[in-house]
């Protein structure tokens, strides 16, 4: 076993990318989105080190070795540092998985890896699912605790969302593009004009590699997904309710159409889309109306010939702000796996 230090470019083909990742200048692998990261398998011994860059303190990773979580919350600090992500490995074949636990607001890149041994090659031989959503898809409020108890300091855990549990159960490659508060439609001011600062919507989040890192770099998918799962409409309800005199179904319909057009432009008119409903509720008076209107839109696009379906999952409001708790997200994932 000899010491290897490899850039991500040198290691290309010898690790599996997980989630929505992209390559930065210098070959660094950006893992900015929820549950994004890498998995590598090596015949190795001792320790595995990674040089990682973060834009701020407090980025959190999870580390698995041979299917066992050895670090549930591995803290990464601002700047570029080398971290021991696994140690004490016996001689033999081991699989190491690194995931961005929090996601979007923490920009992380993996720059190189260091280990004693040889990497095993990977191929893109698994089905591929893309998931687009908001805080529900990001695992909001599911924290770091295994029993689902909420601690406000814990934040979100992308591994404990219905989205990650679904793709993990299916054993597929995936991309998760989600952020708390993300919606389909724009906010408007008292004059009925679009609020320029409102960037947390599909049309201003999805097309970019990462708006929080660089608004000049566009995301260029390298694979066509076998399925695109969409879980957006909950935050549109809040916007619709708060701006009832300014917001209209026609506005929402226009932005919904733009979203569908973006997906079919990227992946072709035949791309399979699945719209998810029911994960959580909220107390605004028009929520049921909003759900019905969005369901009707999905059905209308199906009638037009689009390859789109919808499914309603079991509602769970177990966390303080009404987000699904861990048990609720797990049930939703089980239902979604059965539907798929």
């Amino acid at each position: 076993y000899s010491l290897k230090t490899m850039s991500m470019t040198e290691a290309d083909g010898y690790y599996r990318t997980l989630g929505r990742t992209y390559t930065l200048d210098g070959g660094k692998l950006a893992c900015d989105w929820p549950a994004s990261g890498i998995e590598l398998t090596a015949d190795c011994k001792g320790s595995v080190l990674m040089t990682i860059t973060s834009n701020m303190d407090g980025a959190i990773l999870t580390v698995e070795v041979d299917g066992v979580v050895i670090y549930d919350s591995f803290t990464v600090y601002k700047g570029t540092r080398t971290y021991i992500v696994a140690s004490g490995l016996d001689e033999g074949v081991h699989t190491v998985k690194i995931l961005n636990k929090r996601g979007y607001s923490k920009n992380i890149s993996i720059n190189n890896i260091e280990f004693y041994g040889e990497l095993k090659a990977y191929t893109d031989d698994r089905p591929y699912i893309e998931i687009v959503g908001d805080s529900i898809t990001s695992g909001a409020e599911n924290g770091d605790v295994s029993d689902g108890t909420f601690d406000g300091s814990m934040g979100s855990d992308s591994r404990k969302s219905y989205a990650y549990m679904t793709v993990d159960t299916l054993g597929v490659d995936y991309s998760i593009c989600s952020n708390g508060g993300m919606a389909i439609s724009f906010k408007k001011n008292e004059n009925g004009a679009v609020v320029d600062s409102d960037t947390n919507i599909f049309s201003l989040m999805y097309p970019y590699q990462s708006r929080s890192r660089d608004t000049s770099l566009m995301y260029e998918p390298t694979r066509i997904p076998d399925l695109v799962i969409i879980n957006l409409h909950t935050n549109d309800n809040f916007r619709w309710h708060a701006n009832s005199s300014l917001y209209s179904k026609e506005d929402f319909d226009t932005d919904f159409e733009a979203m569908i057009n973006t997906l079919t432009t990227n992946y072709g008119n035949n791309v399979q889309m699945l719209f998810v409903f029911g994960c959580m509720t909220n107390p605004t008076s028009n929520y049921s109306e909003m759900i019905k209107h969005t369901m009707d839109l999905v059905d209308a696009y199906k009638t037009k010939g689009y390859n789109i379906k919808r499914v309603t999952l079991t509602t769970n409001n177990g966390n303080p702000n009404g987000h699904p708790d861990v048990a609720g997200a797990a049930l939703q994932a089980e239902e979604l796996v059965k539907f798929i």
Side-chain angles (χ1 to χ4, degrees):
Y1 292 90
S2 60
L3 177 63
K4 301 286 195 313
T5 300
M6 304 176 72
S7 69
M8 301 313 291
T9 301
E10 292 170 328
D12 188 33
Y14 290 89
Y15 62 88
R16 188 188 299 281
T17 57
L18 304 171
R20 183 164 170 154
T21 61
Y22 51 95
T23 303
L24 301 170
D25 289 343
K28 302 173 184 178
L29 186 74
C31 307
D32 299 340
W33 295 91
S36 61
I38 66 169
E39 177 185 272
L40 58 87
T41 297
D43 184 358
C44 62
K45 69 173 184 177
S47 300
V48 176
L49 292 79
M50 294 188 183
T51 301
I52 298 172
T53 301
S54 176
N55 68 329
M56 63 179 74
D57 288 331
I60 306 292
L61 307 178
T62 60
V63 181
E64 294 181 20
V65 176
D66 299 331
V68 177
V69 176
I70 61 169
Y71 295 112
D72 187 71
S73 296
F74 187 100
T75 302
V76 173
Y77 299 94
K78 185 176 181 179
T80 300
R81 305 187 187 193
T82 299
Y83 299 87
I84 301 172
V85 297
S87 61
L89 300 178
D90 296 332
E91 291 185 8
V93 177
H94 298 282
T95 298
V96 179
K97 180 189 291 187
I98 309 292
L99 290 176
N100 186 345
K101 182 174 184 176
R102 295 286 189 257
Y104 186 65
S105 63
K106 312 291 187 185
N107 293 336
I108 300 169
S109 67
I110 301 174
N111 306 339
N112 61 47
I113 54 179
E114 184 176 324
F115 59 97
Y116 284 88
E118 296 289 339
L119 290 174
K120 301 291 186 179
Y122 273 91
T123 57
D124 289 333
D125 57 355
R126 306 193 301 185
Y128 173 51
I129 293 178
E130 179 174 271
I131 307 178
V132 184
D134 51 30
S135 54
I136 304 170
T137 300
S138 302
E141 299 186 312
N142 275 338
D144 296 274
V145 289
S146 60
D147 63 358
T149 304
F150 176 69
D151 179 335
S153 67
M154 297 296 188
S156 61
D157 187 340
S158 58
R159 300 166 310 146
K160 295 173 183 174
S161 68
Y162 81 91
Y164 180 75
M165 286 190 272
T166 295
V167 295
D168 190 48
T169 299
L170 291 171
V172 297
D173 290 334
Y174 64 91
S175 167
I176 298 177
C177 175
S178 65
N179 190 44
M182 192 162 148
I184 296 172
S185 286
F186 288 90
K187 288 180 181 177
K188 293 188 174 182
N189 62 23
E190 62 276 6
N191 298 316
V194 170
V195 177
D196 290 338
S197 61
D198 181 24
T199 61
N200 199 12
I201 60 168
F202 176 89
S203 64
L204 293 178
M205 293 283 283
Y206 180 88
Y208 293 92
Q209 290 182 351
S210 174
R211 280 193 69 94
S212 64
R213 184 187 289 273
D214 192 329
T215 56
S216 68
L217 299 176
M218 309 305 289
Y219 181 65
E220 298 179 355
T222 58
R223 297 177 66 183
I224 296 176
D226 298 281
L227 175 65
V228 179
I229 297 172
I230 308 159
N231 191 349
L232 291 173
H233 71 280
T234 302
N235 292 300
D236 292 280
N237 168 69
F238 287 116
R239 296 173 178 208
W240 199 352
H241 182 72
N243 299 283
S244 57
S245 63
L246 303 173
Y247 220 57
S248 68
K249 290 185 176 68
E250 289 74 19
D251 291 329
F252 180 80
D253 294 357
T254 297
D255 294 330
F256 187 97
E257 180 180 19
M259 177 181 69
I260 298 299
N261 287 341
T262 295
L263 295 173
T264 55
T265 297
N266 279 356
Y267 303 129
N269 291 333
N270 239 0
V271 62
Q272 175 68 65
M273 295 173 282
L274 175 60
F275 220 100
V276 172
F277 294 90
C279 289
M280 66 178 283
T281 61
N282 65 52
T284 60
S285 60
N286 62 350
Y287 192 62
S288 295
E289 179 188 357
M290 181 67 178
I291 291 175
K292 184 180 184 308
H293 180 73
T294 311
M295 286 181 171
D296 289 345
L297 269 181
V298 171
D299 294 344
Y301 275 83
K302 183 176 181 179
T303 300
K304 291 177 184 178
Y306 287 84
N307 200 2
I308 188 168
K309 298 179 181 178
R310 60 180 170 90
V311 61
T312 300
L313 306 179
T314 298
T315 298
N316 181 283
N317 296 98
N319 279 328
N321 290 319
H323 294 104
D325 58 25
V326 176
L331 176 59
Q332 292 162 359
E334 180 181 339
E335 293 172 338
L336 189 52
V337 167
K338 289 179 180 177
F339 186 86
I340 293 172

